[in-house]
Amino acid sequence: MTAKTPTGLAGDAKQRLIQQALERRRHSAGAGEQGATLEQVQQAALKVPEAHYRFDQHPGYQQLRVIQQSGLRLGLSNPFFRLHQGTAGAQTQIGEREYLNFASYNYLGYSGHPRVAEASKAAIDRYGTSVSASRPVSGDRPLHRALERELASLYEVDDAVVMVSGHATNVTTIGYLFGPRDLVVHDELIHNSVLQGIQLSGARRLSFAHNDWQALDRLLGEQRQHFERVLVVVEGIYSMDGDYPELPRFVELKHKHKVFLMVDEAHSLGVMGATGKGIREHFRLAGNDVDIWMGTLSKTLASCGGYIAGSTALIEHLKFLAPGFLYSVGMPPAVTAAALAALQLLADDAAGVAKVQARGELFLRLAREAGLDTATSTGLAVIPVITGSSFKAGRLSSALFERGINAQPILYPAVPEHSARVRFFVSCEHTEEQIRHTVAVVAEEMARLG
Ligand SMILES: Cc1ncc(COP(=O)(O)O)c(C=O)c1O
């Protein structure tokens, strides 16, 4: 009989347990020959710089503090997170005061439209405020499919899928569909969500000069052969500059180099084309000239979320496998119904579309006549006034706010420092008078800034 120890275990059994515990400790300590002692762990912890475990020392936060403090020193009003007291249309109430508003992309005035609001409220009454799980799990609501069918028919493609965030739609679609053997080429001014998607995908990323399809042609000529799948991404209307690509040229390149083409219509839906169907209508292209039509529900469609429209293979694939759809809750009923109602309004609103285009043209013409630098804007709803430095952009925005005009400064690093600007979103609800007044005030304040 083997002698028992005070723990009640036989000596060799105890020895085995100690051995196993030591093994486990060695494995959990990682690659080291032996697990670190408590003293060694404490010594190592002493060497970890504070910046590596404190958020207040994060470089991003520190940079933010510097910007905030210099804004305060210069007596500039903080242009961010302003508190609106009602619907932000062409006018808005911020605090106690009424402002002319050029900081919201409510291009056709559908946010605040009674039919959109009614549809949204009715959806809550019928389906509740959440679908309470991802759609593969909790199932669809008729509203989801109705919205997706309308979007597919707008683009004349097989199908569409809607997701809970426009930004996340780009991230998960590109992040899922492409991988380390692939290449994603994008316009140098492409939106951050596309860049994040590429990073997630692990694909090689290259950019071409803004709207320069010839540069893209050369780049693809050199690079195409080194990769499996290649995606080219452009925007319908560029969100910072208000210009657009010669899309038919990009379609030609897609066929020439056998690549996929993706267009982000966040700002072009509702704004471009005679009936607001976007850049496809503007250039009279076919739905399948572009492989991935992407857009957001948060601008013209007065809601929240993003969509992808395209072939059955693309949409079915995303619905079953793109993590941002599969593992994320389905669009809430109220949000889906708002987008659907807005889309239905758009189908019958050529007048609103013509108006937003005319107001944008007026703003651009007057701004140019006043000698303001509007860069490459075409006047399609987005008009930047370039100030040339973040400091001046902050000052101009602050001066405008004092005079009852709400327009956001766009500062470095959102744009290069020399092209810092104040950006104006024009809607069909702005009157000619409001636009004339605004441009005159901007010109006066720019002159004052020197
Ligand atoms: C071009 C572009 N794509 C995607 C997005 C993201 O859309 P959302 O704000 O609806 O998430 C934006 C947002 O402004 C955008 O401008």
Side-chain angles (χ1 to χ4, degrees), residues 105 165-167 170 191 193 235 239 264 266-267 294 296 298-299 305:
Y105 28 61
S165 143
H167 191 281
N170 272 336
H191 192 259
S193 49
E235 287 180 32
S239 59
D264 178 336
H267 295 271
M294 181 273 167
T296 63
S298 59
K299 285 128 186 127

Side-chain angles (χ1 to χ4, degrees), residues 71-139:
L72 277 179
R73 265 200 307 279
L74 294 166
L76 303 182
S77 60
N78 182 351
F80 306 113
F81 300 99
R82 282 179 173 146
L83 211 55
H84 295 248
Q85 307 290 350
T87 304
Q91 282 161 261
T92 188
Q93 190 188 328
I94 300 173
E96 295 302 306
R97 188 172 170 189
E98 196 70 25
Y99 288 82
L100 280 180
N101 185 32
F102 292 92
S104 309
Y105 28 61
N106 189 7
Y107 295 130
L108 295 178
Y110 295 162
S111 173
H113 191 291
R115 268 175 52 194
V116 176
E118 271 314 309
S120 199
K121 289 178 214 168
I124 292 179
D125 289 343
R126 176 141 193 195
Y127 301 107
T129 49
S130 174
V131 298
S132 307
S134 71
R135 283 169 57 194
V137 174
S138 80

Side-chain angles (χ1 to χ4, degrees), residues 382-403:
V382 182
I383 298 144
V385 171
I386 309 295
T387 59
S389 77
S390 295
F391 168 71
K392 268 193 175 179
R395 283 220 105 134
L396 176 61
S397 167
S398 189
L400 294 178
F401 197 66
E402 293 278 303
R403 297 185 65 179

Side-chain angles (χ1 to χ4, degrees), residues 44-61:
L46 282 176
K47 291 189 194 140
V48 178
E50 278 196 338
H52 293 183
Y53 61 92
R54 288 181 58 149
F55 285 126
D56 61 353
Q57 293 192 16
H58 192 286
Y61 184 65

Side-chain angles (χ1 to χ4, degrees), residues 102 363 367 370 372-374 383-387 396-397 399-400 403 405 407 422 424 434-449:
F102 292 92
F363 194 115
L372 297 170
D373 178 0
T374 51
I383 298 144
V385 171
I386 309 295
T387 59
L396 176 61
S397 167
L400 294 178
R403 297 185 65 179
I405 296 167
V422 173
F424 296 82
Q434 287 170 339
I435 286 172
R436 284 181 197 285
H437 169 73
T438 300
V439 176
V441 173
V442 175
E444 270 172 45
E445 293 300 333
M446 270 300 274
R448 202 164 288 163
L449 281 173

